[in-house]
Amino acid sequence: MYLKRTLSTLLLICPVLCISQSIKGTLANSGNCKKIFLYEYIGSNIFPFDSTNITNSAFEFSYKVPIPRGFYKLGTSPEKSIDIILGKENIELSGDCESFLTGVKLSGSTENYGNYVWNTFNQEFNSKVEILKKKSNEIFSRYQQGDPELNGQRIRIQQEFDSLEMTKYDYYRTFSGQYPGTFIGKVAFFYGVPNLSQDTAAQRVFSNQREFTKATFIQSQFFTDEEFTHGAMLEQKLVMYLQNYYQNDFVSGVRELQRILELTPPGSRCREVVFHHSLKLLGNQDPEFNRQWANRHVKEFPNSKLAKKSVEITGPLLPTDMGGKAPEITMQGVDGKNLSLSSLKGKVVLIDFWASWCGPCRKENPVVVQAYQKFKNKKFDIFSVSLDNLKENWLSAIVKDKLVWKNHVSDLKGWQNKAAKDYGVTGIPTNFLINENGIIIGKNLRGPALENKLKEVFQK
């Protein structure tokens, strides 16, 4: 359901607002490089932020208005760019246009030197973990083949990993103290808080500390400070939370995402990041829900590039999705005259696709009749669309099943029924409940679900 957790995943935390007065640089072999670009992070997505010309191998970005502190990318293209931290320091850069990714050197920045030290430690840590994982897999494979003496080796490897894990947390705390007041120091401080959902030494050592419980893992402060969006902090927080606590529970995971979204201020970048990254976490288990989620993103942020990316992931909201506008239906009624769904505007309407030859439909009809009788005086009506081929069978079933409402239509084309195609109907019975404005508020409400939904609607 969710993205696979890797030990090398890093959170990018963006704390307080500050300014980078200037970024100056010289680039050798700049004949083919006319511009250099600064890209901003919104979560893990990057967008153009600024650009400047490269003149006589030199360039400069200069800012008088404060810009948010955090991670940015600098380079001649998105692919040929490096991560840098912009803080209140001036930055000087030297490099080569033709080997930008490997040939760049930064000076004058404690933040970026700290980032180099931080990344070096994490790369070494991950290499050690991979070696232990390889050993563990080899021993486990042999243990499964019936060599019980290897169990002791498995335990010792787990102890090595626990020790390595604790060394990591100790280093993060020490590192944070070495870079007080810096962005990279706060990154390290955040990582110094262990993730206790896994069975590691951290769990055994820290499990009694209240600040590390599930209830406090998601805190509103993370989702109200927009600087946390200048990097992947919020995204990784969501990944860790959902993977660890809702890995195989899609419904509960969705409920948690909705709760977390409510922690974010309306119109904020934090809200945008939660909207967008949630789609990656949800996967494709419920495409309709994903389209609804992306549609909410676009509706709240109509001019947002990130919202457009959300729609690219899911596709646009379909007319027959929950929250969509129900397509018009105009078709012949039992008397041969055309009836239109729009004639019932102002009422809550159940659009019911059925047929006289459909056994499950006929079995469900008493439920529909009961709902009609109970709510017909509360501006509730039914618009029945039959997928029959023979008119006499259709009309006979209406009488036998006591479908006493007036709105019955059919083009007598069976599965080629136009309305059924417009609504994407692939099986019957199928129904759609629409509100007074024609917006779909329920789908496939069968048995008690229909009456329960109508009670909910008319109690508002």
Side-chain angles (χ1 to χ4, degrees):
M1 168 181 170
Y2 302 116
L3 302 178
K4 184 177 180 182
R5 177 176 181 262
T6 62
L7 290 168
S8 60
T9 300
L10 295 180
L11 270 64
L12 310 179
I13 302 180
C14 307
V16 296
L17 199 68
C18 56
I19 183 170
S20 177
Q21 286 84 4
S22 68
I23 311 169
K24 297 180 181 179
T26 57
L27 295 172
N29 297 311
S30 61
N32 295 324
C33 302
K34 305 301 181 184
K35 278 183 174 291
I36 190 165
F37 300 88
L38 190 63
Y39 302 93
E40 69 168 333
Y41 277 96
I42 303 181
S44 61
N45 294 273
I46 64 166
F47 297 98
F49 182 79
D50 199 358
S51 66
T52 190
N53 293 327
I54 301 173
T55 305
N56 296 324
S57 300
F59 70 88
E60 179 177 1
F61 292 92
S62 182
Y63 300 103
K64 295 181 180 180
V65 178
I67 61 175
R69 180 169 73 171
F71 282 90
Y72 291 76
K73 275 189 175 292
L74 179 71
T76 54
S77 71
E79 296 76 24
K80 292 185 177 181
S81 59
I82 59 169
D83 282 328
I84 62 171
I85 297 173
L86 295 187
K88 51 190 175 183
E89 305 166 316
N90 293 326
I91 296 176
E92 294 186 10
L93 176 151
S94 62
D96 190 313
C97 267
E98 294 181 359
S99 56
F100 194 89
L101 294 176
T102 57
V104 169
K105 295 181 179 179
L106 296 173
S107 60
S109 172
T110 301
E111 289 274 21
N112 285 283
Y113 178 74
N115 190 35
Y116 165 77
V117 174
W118 166 257
N119 285 332
T120 299
F121 171 84
N122 282 292
Q123 289 168 4
E124 292 174 352
F125 170 82
N126 291 330
S127 295
K128 293 175 182 178
V129 168
E130 288 303 314
I131 292 171
L132 285 178
K133 285 170 63 177
K134 185 176 180 180
K135 287 182 180 178
S136 178
N137 290 338
E138 290 174 352
I139 290 173
F140 183 66
S141 176
R142 291 163 58 193
Y143 176 72
Q144 284 184 315
Q145 295 173 11
D147 188 347
E149 294 182 3
L150 292 171
N151 191 45
Q153 294 185 43
R154 291 178 60 225
I155 293 173
R156 285 192 292 275
I157 287 179
Q158 179 63 55
Q159 291 171 341
E160 285 186 61
F161 176 76
D162 287 348
S163 176
L164 189 61
E165 190 91 335
M166 294 309 302
T167 300
K168 178 185 73 173
Y169 292 125
D170 289 341
Y171 176 82
Y172 287 176
R173 287 182 171 82
T174 301
F175 182 94
S176 177
Q178 292 172 343
Y179 290 85
T182 64
F183 173 82
I184 193 62
K186 290 196 174 186
V187 171
F189 179 79
F190 179 87
Y191 273 101
V193 178
N195 174 14
L196 299 180
S197 64
Q198 305 298 318
D199 183 21
T200 64
Q203 185 181 35
R204 293 188 281 279
V205 173
F206 294 114
S207 59
N208 292 326
Q209 299 188 35
R210 291 178 57 202
E211 63 207 272
F212 302 144
T213 64
K214 173 185 174 182
T216 58
F217 191 81
I218 294 293
Q219 301 178 36
S220 61
Q221 64 183 7
F222 296 131
F223 297 91
T224 56
D225 187 341
E226 291 200 357
E227 288 204 341
F228 289 175
T229 65
H230 294 270
M233 187 274 176
L234 293 189
E235 297 182 5
Q236 297 302 334
K237 197 74 173 176
L238 290 174
V239 169
M240 291 165 65
Y241 184 63
L242 293 177
Q243 286 178 343
N244 295 333
Y245 301 117
Y246 299 96
Q247 178 72 43
N248 298 311
D249 189 345
F250 178 81
V251 174
S252 296
V254 166
R255 185 167 57 247
E256 283 301 301
L257 286 174
Q258 291 172 325
R259 181 182 71 83
I260 291 168
L261 187 69
E262 295 309 309
L263 298 176
T264 61
S268 67
R269 282 169 56 117
C270 296
R271 193 170 178 86
E272 274 230 81
V273 168
V274 172
F275 261 130
H276 182 70
H277 196 68
S278 296
L279 292 172
K280 298 178 182 179
L281 295 174
L282 292 171
N284 201 38
Q285 289 197 36
D286 190 339
E288 180 174 337
F289 175 84
N290 290 358
R291 290 193 296 268
Q292 294 169 26
W293 191 262
N295 187 62
R296 285 184 63 188
H297 188 180
V298 172
K299 191 173 181 179
E300 292 190 33
F301 300 89
N303 300 314
S304 164
K305 294 178 181 178
L306 203 57
K308 291 178 181 177
K309 281 183 172 288
S310 290
V311 174
E312 288 174 5
I313 292 173
T314 66
L317 188 69
L318 301 179
T320 52
D321 285 339
M322 291 282 287
K325 178 78 171 178
E328 174 67 297
I329 301 173
T330 299
M331 204 168 287
Q332 285 189 359
V334 296
D335 59 0
K337 295 180 181 179
N338 280 347
L339 280 175
S340 294
L341 176 63
S342 58
S343 67
L344 299 179
K345 186 176 181 180
K347 292 184 176 183
V348 174
V349 179
L350 183 73
I351 306 169
D352 188 31
F353 290 88
W354 73 294
S356 65
W357 45 261
C358 169
C361 301
R362 304 294 293 273
K363 186 177 180 180
E364 187 71 13
N365 275 345
V367 175
V368 180
V369 170
Q370 181 177 323
Y372 178 74
Q373 295 296 345
K374 191 165 186 175
F375 295 97
K376 66 180 180 181
N377 295 325
K378 295 185 177 182
K379 289 192 174 182
F380 171 66
D381 214 332
I382 298 175
F383 194 90
S384 293
V385 182
S386 169
L387 273 61
D388 273 288
N389 296 98
L390 299 175
K391 187 171 184 178
E392 56 269 30
N393 292 349
W394 170 39
L395 298 182
S396 176
I398 292 174
V399 174
K400 287 181 180 179
D401 292 358
K402 299 179 181 179
L403 311 182
V404 296
W405 49 91
K406 298 179 180 180
N407 309 295
H408 291 274
V409 298
S410 181
D411 57 12
L412 300 175
K413 294 182 179 179
W415 283 111
Q416 300 306 310
N417 181 281
K418 183 180 184 304
K421 288 186 174 183
D422 290 344
Y423 279 73
V425 174
T426 58
I428 52 175
T430 292
N431 61 44
F432 299 83
L433 187 68
I434 64 174
N435 67 12
E436 297 90 336
N437 298 311
I439 303 300
I440 296 173
I441 58 173
K443 295 174 68 171
N444 294 321
L445 301 167
R446 300 177 65 175
L450 176 58
E451 185 170 330
N452 290 340
K453 181 64 178 180
L454 291 172
K455 285 179 180 178
E456 175 190 320
V457 170
F458 289 112
Q459 283 176 356
K460 291 181 179 178

